[in-house]
């Protein structure tokens, strides 16, 4: 857990924009005191396109800051570099040594270390607390001790009967070893190379073929096959590798997208930080040897990469939704890899824009805990800790270090110097459907906001997949109150004796023709009440019409139904500006962001801006957040409810919103059965 700070978010961002960038510019992050330009806070039509000005010095500064923190904390943990305990971090026993020390805090640093080791300019060393460390030495010492059964910090072999976290980590260990092979493998003795092989091989004994884990063992096998061409101590097995890939193929749905389940509907950022990234590892490792594998995954990858720019808002954020968001800029891993392998299908300038803006957005929001020399488990110093899943420990955020494959490119690569090209949302409004995954993306050039909706889902994290939508500029309330999921961007039902229900389990639906909206079928319970709902989301720019046909059975008495806005982020001591009428509520924060809710039919009163059950500390990003809503009392039977919702970082006037939300679109009237 990270300690709360008394600094409000505006002060914090001001400190990091000048402090974090200044920190890098002053030489502790950027060697030689290289000047790092300030990052534009946002890029919209209201402000002409401005390049970020970021390049190799900025990335190298972030890399060196993180690596110094790793070396320092690893040395405090043991003298081998094979284990690392970060202070004030969550400790889990899913991958520890016999002494109980954490290992994945090391495995997840190896890809970035390997990338910097093989960079063409050489000079991969850092001074840490008065001593200079060669990164090759750190890498070799870590892996040598970690895989030696006689070492005090031996990573141990995984269970031969069940899945184990070592299987996950083995893929990036194998990739890192292959990437740095020319620099490090001859520094290991023959027996050490055998130890490394034996540990890697032990991680492929138990098949893991019902989700993305199948790629971990496939990459492990592929790396050992590739290494065996020069080092006889290594060997991989093509047959189980192909069986792993057959399982992955069963999860493929089209357009480059996979469901993270061999049966079911689970679409999220694992398409970036496992499916796409690890298919690129396979390409590099064994693509020449197995051209059929290369061809299959390259075809899918090209489709996937073509759609990735649409996930990024003008502020640099990828739309935050789903699980494992502590991995942060791991979304950039397949992008930097694709560039390095010559497979990025779009302009280098666009790639550079995406990567620079995303890294800077997350870094300057507080990714780095300077006091403890580590990446935070949460997104920011203020994130509600429910942003972390039960499997997240202090080493897990370092999955994002795979994106630092970019450090292997060298300072002269166009990745660092190509003129930045605007993001799709900086070029114009868009609607982008990813049909096989049932995803719809909407971008507004005027505000820079990107929103994301899912037509169907059967994931099992009820606070991370079941909102009506997610926004690049309005991070959602991830924190739960007991077992209750906050009503972020959602229709909820409440009744006597604390009854409460909202969509928080599997649902089905479809994206409407032309990307004009979505329809869903879903159900929930509120105490004894059983509710089945048919919902329509109809889009008119950043104004959302949400209409519901509700069937209420199994209970007695009235329920309160409420339709909620996206979360409005607030500073620790901030009071939002609010205005309201009988059937509408409007609120604006100090950043100028606005949320608005208006009853159109069925709903009959506004609900003042506030936190869920009095809690404003539930947000995934901000120290505080609140929502506006409209509500109605409903009786058993059938009810129609319609509301207009709005959220924008560059909002139109309240007068305009009231005028635009006065009349329902014909499509909404038809769905609600209200045509004249």
């Amino acid at each position: 857990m990270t300690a709360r700070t008394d600094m409000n978010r505006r002060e914090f961002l001001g400190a990091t924009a000048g402090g974090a960038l200044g920190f890098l510019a002053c030489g502790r992050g950027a060697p030689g005191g290289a000047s790092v330009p300030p990052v534009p806070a946002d890029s919209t039509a209201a402000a002409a396109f401005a390049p970020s000005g970021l390049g190799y010095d900025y990335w190298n500064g972030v890399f060196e800051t993180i690596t110094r923190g790793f070396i320092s904390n690893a040395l405090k943990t043991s003298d081998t570099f094979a284990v690392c305990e970060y202070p004030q971090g969550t400790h889990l026993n899913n991958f520890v040594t016999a002494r109980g020390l954490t290992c994945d805090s090391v495995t997840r640093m190896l890809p970035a270390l390997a990338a910097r080791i093989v960079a063409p300019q050489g000079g991969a060393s850092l001074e840490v607390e008065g001593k200079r460390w060669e990164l090759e030495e750190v890498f070799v010492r870590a892996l040598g001790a970690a895989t030696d059964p006689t070492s005090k910090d031996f990573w141990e072999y995984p269970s031969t009967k069940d899945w184990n976290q070592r299987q996950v980590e083995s893929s990036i260990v194998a990739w890192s070893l292959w990437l740095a092979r020319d620099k490090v493998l001859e520094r290991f003795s023959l027996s050490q190379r055998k130890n490394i092989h034996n540990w890697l091989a032990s991680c492929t004994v138990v098949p893991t073929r019902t989700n993305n884990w199948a790629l971990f063992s496939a990459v492990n096998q592929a790396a050992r096959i590739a290494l065996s061409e020069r080092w006889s101590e290594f060997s991989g097995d093509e047959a189980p590798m192909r069986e792993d890939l057959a399982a992955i193929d069963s999860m493929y749905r089209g357009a480059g997208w996979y469901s993270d389940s061999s049966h079911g509907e689970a679409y999220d950022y694992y398409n970036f930080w496992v499916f796409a990234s690890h298919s690129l590892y396979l390409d590099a490792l064994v693509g020449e040897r197995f051209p059929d594998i290369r061809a299959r995954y390259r075809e899918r990858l090209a489709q996937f990469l073509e759609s990735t720019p649409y996930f990024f808002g003008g502020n640099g954020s990828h739309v935050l939704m789903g699980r494992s968001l502590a991995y942060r800029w791991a979304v950039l891993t397949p992008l930097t890899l694709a560039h390095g392998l010559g497979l990025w299908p779009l302009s280098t300038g666009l790639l550079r824009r995406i990567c620079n803006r995303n890294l800077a957005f997350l870094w300057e929001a507080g990714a780095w805990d300077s006091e403890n020399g580590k990446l935070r488990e949460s997104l920011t110093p203020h994130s509600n800790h429910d942003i972390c899943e039960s499997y997240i420990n202090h080493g897990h955020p370092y999955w994002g270090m795979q994106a630092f494959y970019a450090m292997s490119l060298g300072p002269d690569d166009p990745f660092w110097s190509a003129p930045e090209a605007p993001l799709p949302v900086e070029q114009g409004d868009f609607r982008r459907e990813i049909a096989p995954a049932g995803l719809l993306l909407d971008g507004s050039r005027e505000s820079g906001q990107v929103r994301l909706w899912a037509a169907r889902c059967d994931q099992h994290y009820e606070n991370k997949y079941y909102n009506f939508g997610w926004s690049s500029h309005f991070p959602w309330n991830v924190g739960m109150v007991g077992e209750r999921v906050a009503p972020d961007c959602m229709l909820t039902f409440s009744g006597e004796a604390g009854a409460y229900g909202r969509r928080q389990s599997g649902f089905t639906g479809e994206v409407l023709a032309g990307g004009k909206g979505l329809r869903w079928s879903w159900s929930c319970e509120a105490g004894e009440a059983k509710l089945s709902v048919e919902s329509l989301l109809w889009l008119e720019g950043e104004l959302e019409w949400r209409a519901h046909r509700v069937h209420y059975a199994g209970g007695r008495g009235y329920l309160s139904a409420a339709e909620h806005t996206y979360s409005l982020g607030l500073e620790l001591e901030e009071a939002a500006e609010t205005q309201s009428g009988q059937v509408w509520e409007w609120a604006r924060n100090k950043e100028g962001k606005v949320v608005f809710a208006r009853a159109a039919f069925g709903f009959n009163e506004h609900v003042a801006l506030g936190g869920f059950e009095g809690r404003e500390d539930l947000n995934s990003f901000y120290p505080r957040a609140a929502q506006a809503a409209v509500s109605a009392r409903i009786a058993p039977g059938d009810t129609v409810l319609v509301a207009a919702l709005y959220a924008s970082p560059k909002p139109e006037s309240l007068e305009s919103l009231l005028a635009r939300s006065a009349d329902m679109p014909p499509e909404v009237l038809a769905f609600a059965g209200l045509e004249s």
Side-chain angles (χ1 to χ4, degrees), residues 532-600:
S532 57
V533 187
E534 296 289 326
S535 296
L536 170 72
L537 173 73
W538 187 260
L539 300 174
E540 290 188 338
E542 292 179 311
L543 186 69
E544 301 179 13
W545 293 92
R546 302 185 202 155
H548 312 282
R549 300 194 294 247
V550 180
H551 179 69
Y552 164 21
R556 294 178 297 174
Y558 286 94
L559 290 175
S560 175
E563 185 82 63
H564 299 79
T565 64
Y566 294 85
S567 291
L568 182 66
L570 301 168
E571 299 172 2
L572 286 171
E573 305 300 327
E574 178 181 353
E577 176 189 356
T578 62
Q579 296 187 49
S580 60
Q582 176 60 37
V583 295
W584 58 268
E585 177 82 0
W586 175 96
R588 178 169 58 197
N589 68 9
K590 289 183 179 179
E591 294 176 301
K593 296 177 180 177
V594 161
V595 295
F596 169 81
R598 179 175 184 168

Side-chain angles (χ1 to χ4, degrees), residues 130-146:
K131 180 176 179 179
R132 182 155 291 276
W133 291 93
E134 297 294 328
L135 299 188
E136 284 183 33
E137 179 186 356
V138 173
F139 188 102
V140 170
R141 285 178 58 176
L143 200 50

Side-chain angles (χ1 to χ4, degrees), residues 642-655:
V642 184
L645 289 299
Y646 177 85
S648 178
K650 294 288 190 334
E652 58 189 274
S653 68
L654 175 58
E655 293 74 15

Side-chain angles (χ1 to χ4, degrees), residues 321-354:
M321 62 84 68
R323 66 189 178 99
S324 296
L325 291 181
Y327 299 168
R328 293 184 178 83
W329 47 72
V331 293
L332 305 180
T333 302
L335 283 64
T336 60
L337 275 165
H339 172 76
L341 298 178
L343 298 175
W344 174 249
L346 304 170
S347 76
T348 304
L350 175 58
L351 172 69
R352 185 173 173 231
R353 179 69 169 175
I354 294 169

